[in-house]
Amino acid sequence: MSEHWLQVPEWSWNHSKEIHPSYVHHWIQQLKNMQSTPDMILFGAPISRSSISVSGASLYPSEFRRTWKGFATYNLDENVDLTHYKVADAGDVVMHTTDILLSHQRIQDTTKYLAEHYPNSTTCMIGGDHSTTACAVRGIKGAFLKETIGILQLDTHLDVRDPKELGPANGTPIRQLIDGKMVDGENVINIGLHGFFNAKPLIDYANEHNIQMVTLKQARKDGLTNTIKGALEQLSAKVDRIYVTVDMDVLDISVAPGVPASTPGGMTAIEMFDSLLEIGKHRSVKHIDFVCLDPSKDSAVGETVKTGVYAWLQFVTGCILQKNIQMGY
């Protein structure tokens, strides 16, 4: 583990011998078994000790994999077969039992390792709480020192609380990155803000650093898909690569009870699915994460976990559509 801190995931599925597997748990291969460069590398960052509110988000990478069995590898809506797209599961970053800073450093080192060794593969991190995003972006910056990074954030919260007061918690990642000169505030676009969930001092910080705040109300007025497209085009004109972070608490509490900070008035599941499909289509999106999903708060039917897997598969579908366009299909 001198270069990375990856271990075999707690839960993984046996692979089918079918050439074109019919279900997700038979399609995704472990990275160590891949004979060619994967299109996407998946890895887990199972930490939630750094969450401001009580959170079991560390459980999500395992539940994410368990839920694959319920999803086929064919997207009926888009007429897309996922099996031609190579997704490799690199496993989970080994977390220290008590040392949050050490665990964060391991996430950073692992992301840097994957970005350096697989520069042409999209990376997808499954959190974990939102503190993991700052670690991953620092790792990517370490791998591509001369490149600028833009962030598209789908979130109910700005996540610019002061780490000097809270430590590197899940409410601080965007501020960590801006204060640490990893990203410029003007290259951060947050879509999904709404209601009464960001205190005025946090809004003031965002305005001071030129973070672009797009409320869900405004995005719906302009059309959510159009808003996503516009944000991606705006970022891609200014930065070398785009990192997308999806905080699952952007969803409305009625469809996503399994998040640490659930709120009313958020996105519907369909709005998230449409957004992720559009994000996957964009050429400049090189990295993505899905964070702050707490299976321990989910209902017995696991609707939040299932919604999270569905959203990820929509992103993969978008990536395939983008690849098909590039290849002239």
Side-chain angles (χ1 to χ4, degrees):
M1 293 188 179
S2 58
E3 293 184 284
H4 63 80
W5 291 91
L6 292 166
Q7 64 180 359
V8 175
E10 178 183 345
W11 179 272
S12 61
W13 292 95
N14 293 324
H15 298 139
S16 170
K17 295 182 180 179
E18 298 176 27
I19 297 175
H20 299 294
S22 298
Y23 289 89
V24 172
H25 65 292
H26 286 155
W27 157 52
I28 297 171
Q29 300 182 46
Q30 291 189 31
L31 179 59
K32 65 181 182 179
N33 297 330
M34 292 287 283
Q35 301 299 315
S36 58
T37 301
D39 296 300
M40 177 183 293
I41 296 179
L42 189 74
F43 68 105
I47 185 172
S48 52
R49 290 182 180 276
S50 37
S51 179
I52 296 171
S53 53
V54 176
S55 171
S58 58
L59 303 171
Y60 185 48
S62 181
E63 291 303 312
F64 175 77
R65 295 181 177 98
R66 289 176 189 267
T67 307
W68 289 345
K69 190 176 182 181
F71 290 85
T73 54
Y74 194 84
N75 188 326
L76 179 62
D77 294 314
E78 305 301 326
N79 193 29
V80 168
D81 183 351
L82 306 181
T83 60
H84 301 291
Y85 191 79
K86 299 187 290 294
V87 177
D89 187 349
D92 291 338
V93 182
V94 179
M95 298 290 100
H96 191 278
T97 305
T98 58
D99 193 328
I100 292 172
L101 291 178
L102 180 56
S103 294
H104 282 173
Q105 186 63 50
R106 290 177 179 180
I107 296 169
Q108 179 177 329
D109 293 344
T110 299
T111 310
K112 181 175 183 288
Y113 169 85
L114 292 173
E116 285 179 336
H117 285 73
Y118 302 93
N120 296 318
S121 301
T122 299
T123 63
C124 177
M125 182 178 69
I126 305 298
D129 66 48
H130 215 163
S131 68
T132 60
T133 296
C135 311
V137 174
R138 285 194 294 265
I140 291 162
K141 185 65 175 178
F144 305 103
L145 290 171
K146 296 182 179 180
E147 296 191 15
T148 54
I149 300 173
I151 295 179
L152 176 60
Q153 179 182 3
L154 304 187
D155 205 334
T156 292
H157 307 95
L158 285 163
D159 287 345
V160 294
R161 297 175 74 168
D162 192 349
K164 293 178 182 177
E165 297 178 5
L166 299 174
N170 66 328
T172 69
I174 302 302
R175 183 159 180 168
Q176 287 185 55
L177 294 171
I178 293 174
D179 291 352
K181 310 298 182 185
M182 295 291 108
V183 299
D184 292 331
E186 64 182 19
N187 293 334
V188 177
I189 302 179
N190 186 316
I191 299 173
L193 301 161
H194 62 275
F196 310 91
F197 309 110
N198 291 276
K200 184 60 164 55
L202 305 182
I203 303 294
D204 292 341
Y205 177 93
N207 284 324
E208 179 185 348
H209 291 84
N210 299 312
I211 295 173
Q212 298 179 63
M213 296 174 281
V214 183
T215 66
L216 193 51
K217 180 178 180 179
Q218 185 62 49
R220 284 172 171 153
K221 181 180 178 181
D222 297 338
L224 195 56
T225 300
N226 289 334
T227 302
I228 293 288
K229 283 183 179 178
L232 291 170
E233 287 302 312
Q234 183 180 342
L235 286 173
S236 64
K238 298 193 300 178
V239 303
D240 297 303
R241 57 184 60 236
I242 296 174
Y243 187 106
V244 177
T245 179
V246 183
D247 189 323
M248 295 299 289
D249 73 20
V250 75
L251 288 165
D252 189 83
I253 189 174
S254 63
V255 296
V259 297
S262 55
T263 64
M267 279 189 187
T268 66
I270 298 301
E271 287 175 330
M272 174 172 277
F273 299 157
D274 288 346
S275 297
L276 267 297
L277 182 68
E278 201 60 47
I279 289 167
K281 291 178 183 178
H282 202 278
R283 64 195 180 280
S284 295
V285 175
K286 306 295 185 183
H287 315 278
I288 192 168
D289 67 40
F290 294 83
V291 297
C292 288
L293 196 158
D294 181 354
S296 70
K297 288 186 170 66
D298 218 355
S299 76
V301 298
E303 65 260 48
T304 316
V305 172
K306 292 175 182 176
T307 298
V309 173
Y310 197 124
W312 173 69
L313 289 172
Q314 284 288 94
F315 173 71
V316 173
T317 301
C319 292
I320 294 171
L321 293 172
Q322 177 205 148
K323 185 178 181 180
N324 289 346
I325 292 172
Q326 291 175 343
M327 298 179 69
Y329 294 157

